[in-house]
Amino acid sequence: MGRAALHPVMALLLLAGALAACDSAPRAATPPEAEAAATPATRVFYQWVDEAGTVRFAEDLDEVPVSWRDRAGRVEVAAAPPRAAAASAPRVVVYTTSWCGWCRRTLAHLDRKGVSYENRDIEADPDASRELLRKTGSTAIPVLEIDGQLLRGYDPHAIDRLLAAAS
């Protein structure tokens, strides 16, 4: 997983408050045999907080900083079913920050609709910030780009219209 990208499933977990349920008590690292016990339809993510206070996720414990490995939260998520018409799925990019409530609502709306998207955090990724500035002349967020069409702000009806037109 890239630093700026947040997997749609993980965004949903953040929005639903599921992280409160994950095990954050200090513990030993999960042994490989426990990893294998996860069903094929389950994905495992490890959660920690980086030096800037941002919650991060990794699919492999080796990606978690050594200082966090013994206390990283472990989250199991049912894998999303494959999309039947992936070829006709619109390309969706969302420019956000971690603290923006309207951004979280936008991501939650896309998650409820089952839309795959790329989340670009403009504070965590300077390239994403410059890209947004180039495209819009501003760094106001959230901004959605759906198959090249830009939408500023959280407007679920406008999002749905753009998604329908792009499909």
Side-chain angles (χ1 to χ4, degrees), residues 12 19 43:
L12 180 61
L19 290 177
R43 293 180 67 188

Side-chain angles (χ1 to χ4, degrees), residues 63-84:
E63 296 174 38
V64 176
V66 173
S67 63
W68 272 90
R69 287 189 188 156
D70 64 338
R71 55 191 168 124
R74 185 175 188 276
V75 181
E76 290 186 26
V77 180
R83 295 185 63 143

Side-chain angles (χ1 to χ4, degrees), residues 101-121:
W102 295 113
C103 298
R104 287 191 298 272
R105 285 183 177 204
T106 300
L107 297 175
H109 182 77
L110 293 172
D111 289 336
R112 279 191 304 274
K113 306 284 285 176
V115 175
S116 293
Y117 58 88
E118 181 181 343
N119 182 16
R120 297 185 183 166
D121 185 324

Side-chain angles (χ1 to χ4, degrees), residues 10-30:
M10 297 316 305
L12 180 61
L13 285 174
L14 284 170
L15 295 167
L19 290 177
C22 77
D23 177 18
S24 60
R27 58 177 174 73
T30 305

Side-chain angles (χ1 to χ4, degrees), residues 124-144:
D125 182 358
D127 291 335
S129 180
R130 286 188 290 275
E131 181 178 286
L132 179 61
L133 186 60
R134 181 180 47 79
K135 288 181 178 183
T136 67
S138 165
T139 55
I141 47 165
V143 171
L144 285 91

